[in-house]
Amino acid sequence: MKYAPLLLLVTVAVLIALPWLVSGSMLNAAVQMLIAALFAMAFGLLCGQAGMLSFGHAAYFGVGAFAAVHAMNAFGGEGLLPTPLLPLVGGATGLVSGLLAGYFSTKRTGVYFAMITLALAELLHALAPHLKTVFGGEAGVSSFRMPAWGIGFGSLNDVYFLTLVWTLVSIGLLYLFSKTPLGRLALGLRENAHRLRFLGYNTHALGTLIFAISAMFAGIAGALQSMNIEAANYVVLESHISTAVVLNSFIGGVRVFLGPAIGGALMTFFGHVTSDLTRVWLLYQGIIFVLVMMFLPRGLVGELVERLRNPSGEGLARTLGTVLARLVSLAIAAFGAVFLIEFLQRVLSPEYRAGVTDGTWPDIALFSYDWAPLSVSPWAFGLGLFGIGIALVTMVNRRVAARKEAQA
Amino acid sequence: MGFQKFARGTAAMALVMGAATAAQAEPLKIALVETLSGPQASTGLLYRDAVKYQIGKINEAGGFGGEPIELLEFDNQGGPVGAADRVRAAISEGADVILQGSSSAVAGQVTEDVRKYNLRNAGDEVLYINLGGEAMELTGSKCHYYHFRTSPNAAIRVNTLLDGMKEAGVLGDNVYAMNQNYSWGVDVQDNTVAAADRLGFTVVEQTLHDVNKIQDFSPYVQRIQAADADTVITGNWSNDLLLLMKAASGAGLDVRFGTAFLDQPGNIGNAGAVAEGHFLSAPFNAQVNPEETSAFMEDYKSVTGHYPSYVEPTTVFGLMLLGEALKSVEPTEDGLNAADLAVALENATAETPMGPISMRADDHQIIQPMIVQEVSKDAQYKADDTEYGFVPIKVISAADAEQPVQDSCKMKRPG
């Protein structure tokens, strides 16, 4: 772990240089990845560190988004609240609403806590369409990023840097928070709240405070989002935003510090890239979640950290060899599965079936080859690759297990 | 010497090739930013079919500037955030026209994004053609010069529906306004109430209820019964419409429903006999002008595999208008000047199987004929493989369907 500071520096440097490295569309994805990362980090504080699983974090994200949009319209980017400071409004409203909601929801723990957060978020979601002046009705509230501090904020680069600075500062603050006594107590709350209470701590106040801080950072993320798209719409309060942050954080690994951020960024990037490539990208997203939960329950980052902490003791070359062999065989299996799913999706699509006339099934182009759906070849190709990949993975796993047994 | 000759030759070649590319304009790129995945994809995919069909027709007729139009597809992932992202992507890939329709929430985002982009990039404007976001404010407080709506709105739907029902003698004296409690439902309710004096009926009661949350509509049906209403005017869609009609029929209530979205695929199949005798006002019916319409129906089916329904005909007609406008625009060196196209759209008229359509310059709302229709077994084209379909009761001409420009629309025209 001695390389961690160096790695961090390199990452930050790459992030700063990013506008000159990638295309506009990718930079746009990067802005959303940063926002998703910050939102997931806010969630991670509550769920990973303090062990409180919230199913309603979209509420604080949305509250922050609307507060920022209204502040943007009220101040016009001047005076007390110039454009770069607008996320403060999102953070403040997130904090206040988090204090209120946290007071009620942290009275209970576990499943009941999750239900209360869900109920509060749904309450806001059901209320929002009725309050047209606050939430803007179906077409939403829109705004305009005004220039401030000599920066135009019209170009994507400006927006990217604004989001980057706020995200990095917020994640830095979250890291420092985790080192404070309060941050340490959050871990205690997760591990054993009863013992904490016997030690004389007020666990309800503690829970409320951590909930509010998590909501504050969610509010900042929401504000950054509404500044990015220069609008807020009440669909931001929908429950799928709450579930997305849960999925993202768990895929990344909710108990390691940067796990949620990396999970959020990765899954946002995945959606950005695949949604224009295939109609069934949501299916792939679901499959990834299920696989991660089944085989890497600590999440991607969690598993990586665990492996680095407890090396297998087989030497670098051998470990790398095993990892590589696993990755290659998994890639083969994944390609087979993707091929099958895509082929099936094309066969079942209404456009294709419109072209099927009197029993003749035209060929389907997939991965630059034409396949006849009634012949064996596409199905055998997909199933075969999938089977070979899975067989290879099991073979590698067996050999590793055999080596371990021989050592022991 | 050999090398010099070679160099000269290459230079000449390069010149010729450069000249050739300059003479040939960039192909016009049109981007469809629609919901193509997830739970709301079914409507988005209908827009996609219709857009592909009509862009194909325009390309068959020569495209734009001698080049076929390039259609780019983007998945907005169902929400405004994805839409904002995809609009940026579309513009950076060189799209001059953006098409979208399946949600007013997304339309609100797209229209504002386009407005702001045009403010920041004067001289390099893009156009947004709103194929189906029917919220009033899109041609009201949010209207702007580069937004064009090719679908009707709440005012047009409700007023034509009431006119048609009145003329057919099925609009009772006691009307109940039952709507979903958000901007669309409120718009429908306001327009129903506003038409009461003109058409001589009383709005006995108005109800706004939760959107897509109610499973049991029987309390609402009891209120309709208690109010002694004979007609219910509703802007409800999807489950809120189906469950309301089923609850009314289950309670043996003898009321006639006037609706805006009864033709959504699946509604008739789901409601079956319950839908019979109820009314709808929409910009298309397959039995109007049978000759031209059935040619259109069959041609559409041969390309996409199904008859056009719901939002598809309006989308095709809207793009016909775009095609007409493109005919009168001269391609510039870098493709298309969006400001020229905006002017052309304001002056264009298109002959659709339903009649002529045009774009009103004051708020960029399409002016098109509306057809008031009834669900009946006599329909020539059946919906959802049931024995029911839509029979036209009255065709309301484009001029009669027109509704006044909203006061809130303060459109800034360039220059």
Side-chain angles (χ1 to χ4, degrees):
Chain A
M1 288 272 94
K2 57 191 168 203
Y3 298 113
L6 190 71
L7 198 66
L8 200 68
L9 267 179
V10 171
T11 314
V12 172
V14 168
L15 284 175
I16 290 173
L18 206 62
W20 293 275
L21 298 177
V22 298
S23 68
S25 168
M26 279 299 142
L27 194 63
N28 207 357
V31 172
Q32 285 180 27
M33 285 160 74
L34 286 172
I35 294 168
L38 178 57
F39 186 29
M41 284 303 291
F43 174 81
L45 167 67
L46 190 66
C47 179
Q49 290 183 42
M52 294 188 274
L53 177 59
S54 158
F55 274 123
H57 244 49
Y60 317 103
F61 186 77
V63 161
F66 275 100
V69 133
H70 284 299
M72 220 185 318
N73 284 335
F75 287 89
E78 287 166 357
L80 281 177
L81 268 177
T83 307
L85 295 185
L86 280 171
L88 284 179
V89 189
T93 25
L95 184 71
V96 173
S97 56
L99 275 175
L100 281 173
Y103 177 81
F104 293 108
S105 37
T106 53
K107 282 190 180 263
R108 294 285 175 274
T109 53
V111 178
Y112 305 102
F113 169 81
M115 305 259 275
I116 298 171
T117 55
L118 180 65
L120 288 173
E122 274 305 296
L123 183 73
L124 192 63
H125 176 226
L127 207 60
H130 302 204
L131 303 172
K132 203 176 170 196
T133 43
V134 184
F135 295 100
E138 206 186 358
V141 187
S142 68
S143 179
F144 199 86
R145 278 188 312 268
M146 297 305 265
W149 297 356
I151 310 170
F153 291 110
S155 75
L156 186 56
N157 278 6
D158 297 347
V159 177
Y160 173 75
F161 282 117
L162 179 76
T163 314
L164 180 66
V165 168
W166 271 98
T167 305
L168 288 183
V169 167
S170 301
I171 292 181
L173 286 175
L174 276 167
Y175 180 74
L176 293 179
F177 175 78
S178 73
K179 298 291 167 205
T180 61
L182 185 62
R184 296 274 130 194
L185 279 175
L187 293 181
L189 201 60
R190 178 183 89 191
E191 295 303 331
N192 198 334
H194 283 296
R195 179 174 283 185
L196 219 54
R197 201 169 321 140
F198 282 132
L199 288 172
Y201 290 105
N202 182 348
T203 48
H204 182 221
L206 185 65
T208 309
L209 213 55
I210 291 165
F211 192 99
I213 289 170
S214 166
M216 179 177 87
F217 284 104
I220 293 177
L224 287 174
Q225 165 150 300
S226 63
M227 292 182 69
N228 175 31
I229 68 170
E230 299 182 289
N233 189 295
Y234 58 67
V235 297
V236 74
L237 300 167
E238 274 176 6
S239 56
H240 72 89
I241 309 279
S242 299
T243 36
V245 74
V246 176
L247 297 192
N248 290 348
S249 307
F250 275 89
I251 288 175
V254 81
R255 291 205 170 175
V256 275
F257 182 69
L258 278 176
I262 290 170
L266 274 182
M267 292 318 284
T268 311
F269 183 71
F270 180 82
H272 183 89
V273 172
T274 52
S275 66
D276 282 335
L277 293 179
T278 168
R279 213 98 308 147
V280 291
W281 66 280
L282 286 169
L283 176 69
Y284 294 122
Q285 201 181 46
I287 293 176
I288 289 178
F289 180 69
V290 171
L291 289 182
V292 168
M293 284 300 102
M294 279 174 72
F295 297 108
L296 307 169
R298 293 188 191 94
L300 296 175
V301 184
E303 202 67 29
L304 197 70
V305 169
E306 182 67 23
R307 291 287 161 86
L308 289 176
R309 269 194 199 138
N310 304 316
S312 53
E314 289 191 313
L316 188 64
R318 190 152 241 190
T319 318
L320 270 183
T322 323
V323 168
L324 211 65
R326 271 202 187 120
L327 284 182
V328 168
S329 32
L330 276 178
I332 294 173
F335 183 73
V338 168
F339 181 88
L340 273 183
I341 293 173
E342 288 298 315
F343 195 72
L344 207 62
Q345 184 237 337
R346 277 168 177 69
V347 172
L348 294 177
S349 73
E351 293 120 315
Y352 177 72
R353 288 206 276 170
V356 177
T357 40
D358 10 286
T360 52
W361 296 63
D363 286 357
I364 296 174
L366 184 59
F367 298 119
S368 57
Y369 283 98
D370 287 335
W371 308 85
L374 289 188
S375 71
V376 187
S377 57
W379 309 104
F381 179 71
L383 274 177
L385 276 183
F386 182 70
I388 291 170
I390 295 295
L392 281 175
V393 174
T394 16
M395 216 168 75
V396 173
N397 283 350
R398 275 216 195 108
R399 285 178 64 181
V400 171
R403 269 211 302 273
K404 268 198 185 140
E405 212 160 298
Q407 272 177 356
Chain B
M1 283 324 245
F3 174 73
Q4 261 191 11
K5 214 176 194 176
F6 171 75
R8 233 177 273 150
T10 328
M13 271 272 277
L15 261 177
V16 171
M17 278 166 70
T21 43
Q24 205 167 36
E26 286 252 316
L28 169 63
K29 287 183 183 162
I30 294 185
L32 174 71
V33 180
E34 204 33 271
T35 309
L36 302 174
S37 64
Q40 272 119 42
S42 59
T43 312
L45 293 171
L46 289 181
Y47 281 110
R48 177 167 162 266
D49 284 347
V51 166
K52 278 174 93 165
Y53 169 81
Q54 189 56 28
I55 298 283
K57 291 284 154 204
I58 297 176
N59 283 341
E60 272 171 32
F64 174 68
E67 286 272 319
I69 297 171
E70 217 178 294
L71 179 66
L72 315 171
E73 285 177 31
F74 295 89
D75 180 7
N76 68 32
Q77 305 182 7
V81 180
D85 177 37
R86 294 306 135 116
V87 166
R88 284 181 194 167
I91 294 174
S92 71
E93 282 188 30
D96 290 305
V97 179
I98 289 172
L99 309 174
Q100 184 273 337
S102 70
S103 139
S104 282
V106 173
Q109 179 72 38
V110 175
T111 190
E112 282 294 307
D113 282 352
V114 165
R115 183 177 71 86
K116 287 167 206 162
Y117 176 84
N118 290 342
L119 277 177
R120 285 174 178 143
N121 300 275
D124 185 27
E125 283 89 355
V126 292
L127 225 69
Y128 167 40
I129 296 185
N130 171 4
L131 302 169
E134 301 201 1
M136 291 300 282
E137 62 222 86
L138 294 171
T139 48
S141 57
K142 280 196 160 74
C143 83
H144 64 91
Y145 186 68
Y146 292 99
H147 162 265
F148 295 86
R149 168 151 63 197
T150 64
S151 69
N153 57 33
I156 295 174
R157 291 253 187 206
V158 173
N159 282 296
T160 52
L161 177 69
L162 291 169
D163 286 347
M165 287 176 80
K166 176 86 183 170
E167 206 153 304
V170 294
L171 182 69
D173 294 328
N174 296 336
V175 169
Y176 197 110
M178 174 76 76
N179 287 292
Q180 293 157 319
N181 194 359
Y182 76 113
S183 46
W184 162 256
V186 174
D187 287 344
V188 171
Q189 174 176 297
D190 291 349
N191 278 292
T192 311
V193 174
D197 282 346
R198 182 170 64 87
L199 294 171
F201 61 84
T202 353
V203 178
V204 285
E205 204 174 320
Q206 319 166 21
T207 300
L208 292 172
H209 60 74
D210 277 351
V211 186
N212 282 334
K213 284 211 165 69
I214 299 167
Q215 296 302 320
D216 178 14
F217 270 93
S218 48
Y220 294 93
V221 169
Q222 278 170 14
R223 283 163 79 172
I224 298 173
Q225 211 154 16
D228 203 20
D230 34 36
T231 309
V232 177
I233 299 296
T234 176
N236 285 12
W237 39 267
S238 202
N239 254 354
D240 281 348
L241 178 61
L242 280 174
L243 295 176
L244 175 63
M245 289 194 332
K246 282 187 171 174
S249 146
L253 198 62
D254 183 27
V255 293
R256 197 178 297 274
F257 281 90
T259 69
F261 296 120
L262 198 52
D263 56 344
Q264 191 176 5
N267 275 359
I268 298 296
N270 201 326
V274 167
E276 192 176 9
H278 296 318
F279 275 69
L280 163 80
S281 176
F284 178 76
N285 183 287
Q287 277 168 252
V288 176
N289 297 334
E291 221 165 284
E292 291 167 53
T293 310
S294 50
F296 164 63
M297 296 282 281
E298 296 304 331
D299 187 50
Y300 193 90
K301 192 180 181 186
S302 71
V303 175
T304 63
H306 58 270
Y307 286 124
S309 65
Y310 194 41
V311 299
E312 292 171 287
T314 344
T315 305
V316 170
F317 300 161
L319 293 182
M320 279 183 179
L321 191 68
L322 175 70
E324 289 301 321
L326 282 173
K327 279 183 195 164
S328 60
V329 176
E330 281 296 315
T332 59
E333 258 176 45
D334 36 280
L336 170 97
N337 186 351
D340 294 347
L341 180 57
V343 175
L345 266 169
E346 286 183 342
N347 296 318
T349 47
E351 275 303 325
T352 74
M354 298 294 107
I357 60 172
S358 59
M359 186 60 70
R360 178 162 66 190
D362 305 310
D363 61 349
H364 291 176
Q365 165 66 45
I366 204 162
I367 304 300
Q368 62 187 353
M370 292 291 285
I371 294 95
V372 179
Q373 36 203 307
E374 184 183 355
V375 179
S376 158
K377 282 185 188 165
D378 304 331
Q380 188 189 342
Y381 293 92
K382 312 293 187 194
D384 302 333
D385 299 325
T386 60
E387 49 182 332
Y388 298 98
F390 297 94
V391 176
I393 300 297
K394 174 155 177 62
V395 179
I396 295 176
S397 71
D400 290 337
E402 185 170 355
Q403 295 297 319
V405 179
Q406 297 171 70
D407 295 333
S408 50
C409 175
K410 311 248 182 312
M411 190 187 286
K412 264 194 221 137
R413 306 180 70 83

